[in-house]
mmCIF file of all heavy atoms in Angstrom:
data_model
loop_
_atom_site.group_PDB
_atom_site.id
_atom_site.type_symbol
_atom_site.label_atom_id
_atom_site.label_comp_id
_atom_site.label_asym_id
_atom_site.label_seq_id
_atom_site.Cartn_x
_atom_site.Cartn_y
_atom_site.Cartn_z
ATOM 1 N N TRP A 1 71.842 44.138 195.049
ATOM 2 C CA TRP A 1 71.224 44.475 193.762
ATOM 3 C C TRP A 1 72.045 43.884 192.607
ATOM 4 O O TRP A 1 71.500 43.325 191.650
ATOM 5 C CB TRP A 1 71.154 45.990 193.592
ATOM 6 C CG TRP A 1 70.185 46.726 194.458
ATOM 7 C CD1 TRP A 1 70.465 47.445 195.569
ATOM 8 C CD2 TRP A 1 68.758 46.839 194.269
ATOM 9 N NE1 TRP A 1 69.330 48.010 196.090
ATOM 10 C CE2 TRP A 1 68.270 47.652 195.317
ATOM 11 C CE3 TRP A 1 67.865 46.325 193.327
ATOM 12 C CZ2 TRP A 1 66.920 47.975 195.442
ATOM 13 C CZ3 TRP A 1 66.522 46.646 193.443
ATOM 14 C CH2 TRP A 1 66.059 47.454 194.492
ATOM 15 N N PHE A 2 73.360 44.021 192.729
ATOM 16 C CA PHE A 2 74.264 43.556 191.674
ATOM 17 C C PHE A 2 74.131 42.045 191.465
ATOM 18 O O PHE A 2 74.013 41.567 190.329
ATOM 19 C CB PHE A 2 75.711 43.914 192.061
ATOM 20 C CG PHE A 2 76.734 43.529 191.033
ATOM 21 C CD1 PHE A 2 76.979 44.344 189.943
ATOM 22 C CD2 PHE A 2 77.454 42.351 191.176
ATOM 23 C CE1 PHE A 2 77.935 43.988 188.991
ATOM 24 C CE2 PHE A 2 78.404 41.983 190.229
ATOM 25 C CZ PHE A 2 78.645 42.809 189.144
ATOM 26 N N GLU A 3 74.145 41.292 192.570
ATOM 27 C CA GLU A 3 74.022 39.831 192.470
ATOM 28 C C GLU A 3 72.649 39.422 191.944
ATOM 29 O O GLU A 3 72.534 38.481 191.160
ATOM 30 C CB GLU A 3 74.271 39.189 193.841
ATOM 31 C CG GLU A 3 75.693 39.320 194.347
ATOM 32 C CD GLU A 3 76.700 38.533 193.515
ATOM 33 O OE1 GLU A 3 76.284 37.630 192.770
ATOM 34 O OE2 GLU A 3 77.900 38.829 193.614
ATOM 35 N N LEU A 4 71.625 40.142 192.358
ATOM 36 C CA LEU A 4 70.270 39.862 191.878
ATOM 37 C C LEU A 4 70.192 40.068 190.360
ATOM 38 O O LEU A 4 69.605 39.264 189.634
ATOM 39 C CB LEU A 4 69.263 40.773 192.589
ATOM 40 C CG LEU A 4 67.789 40.624 192.198
ATOM 41 C CD1 LEU A 4 67.288 39.211 192.487
ATOM 42 C CD2 LEU A 4 66.939 41.645 192.945
ATOM 43 N N GLY A 5 70.836 41.138 189.884
ATOM 44 C CA GLY A 5 70.831 41.426 188.450
ATOM 45 C C GLY A 5 71.496 40.355 187.627
ATOM 46 O O GLY A 5 71.145 40.143 186.457
ATOM 47 N N LYS A 6 72.467 39.639 188.217
ATOM 48 C CA LYS A 6 73.188 38.609 187.463
ATOM 49 C C LYS A 6 72.387 37.321 187.311
ATOM 50 O O LYS A 6 72.639 36.544 186.391
ATOM 51 C CB LYS A 6 74.527 38.297 188.150
ATOM 52 C CG LYS A 6 75.555 39.402 187.967
ATOM 53 C CD LYS A 6 76.971 38.893 188.117
ATOM 54 C CE LYS A 6 77.293 38.572 189.556
ATOM 55 N NZ LYS A 6 78.728 38.290 189.757
ATOM 56 N N ILE A 7 71.422 37.069 188.214
ATOM 57 C CA ILE A 7 70.721 35.779 188.163
ATOM 58 C C ILE A 7 69.238 35.898 187.844
ATOM 59 O O ILE A 7 68.586 34.891 187.599
ATOM 60 C CB ILE A 7 70.898 34.999 189.494
ATOM 61 C CG1 ILE A 7 70.325 35.793 190.679
ATOM 62 C CG2 ILE A 7 72.338 34.640 189.727
ATOM 63 C CD1 ILE A 7 70.314 35.009 191.986
ATOM 64 N N ILE A 8 68.715 37.118 187.807
ATOM 65 C CA ILE A 8 67.289 37.266 187.502
ATOM 66 C C ILE A 8 67.081 36.879 186.033
ATOM 67 O O ILE A 8 67.854 37.278 185.167
ATOM 68 C CB ILE A 8 66.811 38.700 187.821
ATOM 69 C CG1 ILE A 8 65.328 38.716 188.189
ATOM 70 C CG2 ILE A 8 67.132 39.678 186.713
ATOM 71 C CD1 ILE A 8 64.898 39.942 188.963
ATOM 72 N N PRO A 9 66.074 36.059 185.707
ATOM 73 C CA PRO A 9 65.995 35.444 184.368
ATOM 74 C C PRO A 9 65.862 36.421 183.199
ATOM 75 O O PRO A 9 66.609 36.339 182.237
ATOM 76 C CB PRO A 9 64.759 34.540 184.460
ATOM 77 C CG PRO A 9 64.522 34.345 185.902
ATOM 78 C CD PRO A 9 65.023 35.559 186.602
ATOM 79 N N ASP A 10 64.894 37.334 183.283
ATOM 80 C CA ASP A 10 64.685 38.249 182.150
ATOM 81 C C ASP A 10 63.940 39.482 182.634
ATOM 82 O O ASP A 10 63.544 39.573 183.792
ATOM 83 C CB ASP A 10 63.895 37.563 181.021
ATOM 84 C CG ASP A 10 62.614 36.903 181.521
ATOM 85 O OD1 ASP A 10 61.863 37.569 182.267
ATOM 86 O OD2 ASP A 10 62.371 35.738 181.196
ATOM 87 N N LYS A 11 63.724 40.448 181.718
ATOM 88 C CA LYS A 11 63.114 41.704 182.146
ATOM 89 C C LYS A 11 61.633 41.537 182.514
ATOM 90 O O LYS A 11 61.117 42.304 183.316
ATOM 91 C CB LYS A 11 63.295 42.786 181.083
ATOM 92 C CG LYS A 11 62.612 42.545 179.773
ATOM 93 C CD LYS A 11 62.951 43.686 178.826
ATOM 94 C CE LYS A 11 62.311 43.483 177.467
ATOM 95 N NZ LYS A 11 62.721 44.508 176.514
ATOM 96 N N ASN A 12 60.975 40.525 181.964
ATOM 97 C CA ASN A 12 59.587 40.257 182.375
ATOM 98 C C ASN A 12 59.532 39.880 183.854
ATOM 99 O O ASN A 12 58.658 40.317 184.592
ATOM 100 C CB ASN A 12 58.985 39.116 181.532
ATOM 101 C CG ASN A 12 58.775 39.516 180.089
ATOM 102 O OD1 ASN A 12 59.009 40.663 179.722
ATOM 103 N ND2 ASN A 12 58.355 38.576 179.275
ATOM 104 N N PHE A 13 60.519 39.065 184.263
ATOM 105 C CA PHE A 13 60.569 38.606 185.650
ATOM 106 C C PHE A 13 60.858 39.768 186.600
ATOM 107 O O PHE A 13 60.344 39.810 187.719
ATOM 108 C CB PHE A 13 61.639 37.526 185.791
ATOM 109 C CG PHE A 13 61.619 36.790 187.095
ATOM 110 C CD1 PHE A 13 60.885 35.630 187.250
ATOM 111 C CD2 PHE A 13 62.323 37.269 188.196
ATOM 112 C CE1 PHE A 13 60.863 34.955 188.466
ATOM 113 C CE2 PHE A 13 62.314 36.605 189.407
ATOM 114 C CZ PHE A 13 61.575 35.440 189.536
ATOM 115 N N ILE A 14 61.677 40.715 186.139
ATOM 116 C CA ILE A 14 62.064 41.850 186.991
ATOM 117 C C ILE A 14 60.834 42.576 187.515
ATOM 118 O O ILE A 14 60.738 42.909 188.698
ATOM 119 C CB ILE A 14 62.949 42.850 186.216
ATOM 120 C CG1 ILE A 14 64.285 42.208 185.862
ATOM 121 C CG2 ILE A 14 63.195 44.117 187.039
ATOM 122 C CD1 ILE A 14 65.128 43.027 184.903
ATOM 123 N N PHE A 15 59.882 42.813 186.595
ATOM 124 C CA PHE A 15 58.704 43.604 186.984
ATOM 125 C C PHE A 15 57.638 42.778 187.705
ATOM 126 O O PHE A 15 56.622 43.305 188.129
ATOM 127 C CB PHE A 15 58.116 44.288 185.744
ATOM 128 C CG PHE A 15 59.044 45.325 185.163
ATOM 129 C CD1 PHE A 15 59.680 45.103 183.956
ATOM 130 C CD2 PHE A 15 59.309 46.502 185.836
ATOM 131 C CE1 PHE A 15 60.546 46.043 183.423
ATOM 132 C CE2 PHE A 15 60.172 47.444 185.323
ATOM 133 C CZ PHE A 15 60.798 47.219 184.117
ATOM 134 N N SER A 16 57.894 41.471 187.834
ATOM 135 C CA SER A 16 56.962 40.640 188.609
ATOM 136 C C SER A 16 57.417 40.520 190.061
ATOM 137 O O SER A 16 56.713 39.957 190.889
ATOM 138 C CB SER A 16 56.872 39.236 187.988
ATOM 139 O OG SER A 16 58.093 38.530 188.154
ATOM 140 N N VAL A 17 58.609 41.044 190.366
ATOM 141 C CA VAL A 17 59.170 40.963 191.722
ATOM 142 C C VAL A 17 58.877 42.268 192.470
ATOM 143 O O VAL A 17 58.995 43.356 191.912
ATOM 144 C CB VAL A 17 60.696 40.724 191.648
ATOM 145 C CG1 VAL A 17 61.300 40.721 193.040
ATOM 146 C CG2 VAL A 17 60.989 39.410 190.945
ATOM 147 N N ALA A 18 58.488 42.129 193.737
ATOM 148 C CA ALA A 18 58.161 43.305 194.557
ATOM 149 C C ALA A 18 59.434 43.943 195.088
ATOM 150 O O ALA A 18 59.871 43.684 196.218
ATOM 151 C CB ALA A 18 57.242 42.902 195.709
ATOM 152 N N LEU A 19 60.058 44.784 194.284
ATOM 153 C CA LEU A 19 61.284 45.476 194.700
ATOM 154 C C LEU A 19 60.943 46.791 195.380
ATOM 155 O O LEU A 19 59.907 47.397 195.084
ATOM 156 C CB LEU A 19 62.173 45.738 193.467
ATOM 157 C CG LEU A 19 62.685 44.485 192.741
ATOM 158 C CD1 LEU A 19 63.330 44.863 191.414
ATOM 159 C CD2 LEU A 19 63.680 43.726 193.618
ATOM 160 N N PRO A 20 61.790 47.268 196.279
ATOM 161 C CA PRO A 20 61.489 48.527 196.977
ATOM 162 C C PRO A 20 61.501 49.720 196.026
ATOM 163 O O PRO A 20 62.331 49.787 195.114
ATOM 164 C CB PRO A 20 62.629 48.639 198.003
ATOM 165 C CG PRO A 20 63.733 47.805 197.452
ATOM 166 C CD PRO A 20 63.074 46.687 196.713
ATOM 167 N N GLU A 21 60.557 50.643 196.220
ATOM 168 C CA GLU A 21 60.506 51.856 195.391
ATOM 169 C C GLU A 21 61.498 52.870 195.948
ATOM 170 O O GLU A 21 61.155 53.699 196.777
ATOM 171 C CB GLU A 21 59.068 52.417 195.370
ATOM 172 C CG GLU A 21 58.080 51.529 194.626
ATOM 173 C CD GLU A 21 58.512 51.214 193.206
ATOM 174 O OE1 GLU A 21 59.041 52.115 192.520
ATOM 175 O OE2 GLU A 21 58.333 50.067 192.777
ATOM 176 N N HIS A 22 62.715 52.753 195.490
ATOM 177 C CA HIS A 22 63.822 53.563 195.982
ATOM 178 C C HIS A 22 64.584 54.063 194.769
ATOM 179 O O HIS A 22 64.586 53.413 193.725
ATOM 180 C CB HIS A 22 64.707 52.684 196.880
ATOM 181 C CG HIS A 22 65.749 53.429 197.649
ATOM 182 N ND1 HIS A 22 66.938 53.832 197.095
ATOM 183 C CD2 HIS A 22 65.794 53.821 198.955
ATOM 184 C CE1 HIS A 22 67.667 54.439 198.007
ATOM 185 N NE2 HIS A 22 66.994 54.450 199.152
ATOM 186 N N TRP A 23 65.266 55.199 194.881
ATOM 187 C CA TRP A 23 65.969 55.737 193.711
ATOM 188 C C TRP A 23 67.013 54.775 193.152
ATOM 189 O O TRP A 23 67.292 54.759 191.948
ATOM 190 C CB TRP A 23 66.625 57.081 194.040
ATOM 191 C CG TRP A 23 67.698 57.076 195.089
ATOM 192 C CD1 TRP A 23 67.563 57.420 196.400
ATOM 193 C CD2 TRP A 23 69.075 56.693 194.917
ATOM 194 N NE1 TRP A 23 68.768 57.284 197.064
ATOM 195 C CE2 TRP A 23 69.714 56.852 196.176
ATOM 196 C CE3 TRP A 23 69.835 56.250 193.837
ATOM 197 C CZ2 TRP A 23 71.063 56.554 196.374
ATOM 198 C CZ3 TRP A 23 71.180 55.960 194.028
ATOM 199 C CH2 TRP A 23 71.777 56.114 195.282
ATOM 200 N N ILE A 24 67.570 53.925 194.016
ATOM 201 C CA ILE A 24 68.608 53.001 193.547
ATOM 202 C C ILE A 24 68.037 51.941 192.599
ATOM 203 O O ILE A 24 68.778 51.325 191.813
ATOM 204 C CB ILE A 24 69.320 52.342 194.758
ATOM 205 C CG1 ILE A 24 70.727 51.871 194.345
ATOM 206 C CG2 ILE A 24 68.498 51.208 195.332
ATOM 207 C CD1 ILE A 24 71.594 51.436 195.514
ATOM 208 N N LYS A 25 66.721 51.750 192.657
ATOM 209 C CA LYS A 25 66.086 50.754 191.789
ATOM 210 C C LYS A 25 66.311 51.087 190.311
ATOM 211 O O LYS A 25 66.492 50.184 189.492
ATOM 212 C CB LYS A 25 64.579 50.678 192.093
ATOM 213 C CG LYS A 25 63.823 49.686 191.211
ATOM 214 C CD LYS A 25 62.342 49.687 191.528
ATOM 215 C CE LYS A 25 61.562 48.838 190.546
ATOM 216 N NZ LYS A 25 60.098 48.875 190.810
ATOM 217 N N SER A 26 66.307 52.379 189.971
ATOM 218 C CA SER A 26 66.510 52.752 188.568
ATOM 219 C C SER A 26 67.927 52.398 188.109
ATOM 220 O O SER A 26 68.137 51.987 186.972
ATOM 221 C CB SER A 26 66.227 54.238 188.362
ATOM 222 O OG SER A 26 67.028 55.032 189.208
#
């Protein structure tokens, strides 16, 4: 998650990715 957060382009892109619905996602 940490590495993904460093390279994901912007917050628009975050919500376009199918991430698991898990408490750690928040």
Side-chain angles (χ1 to χ4, degrees):
W1 289 102
F2 182 83
E3 293 293 342
L4 179 61
K6 287 204 288 190
I7 60 173
I8 208 160
D10 51 48
K11 65 182 179 185
N12 291 356
F13 191 91
I14 294 170
F15 294 109
S16 68
V17 177
L19 297 170
E21 292 305 320
H22 190 280
W23 63 261
I24 204 170
K25 179 182 173 182
S26 57

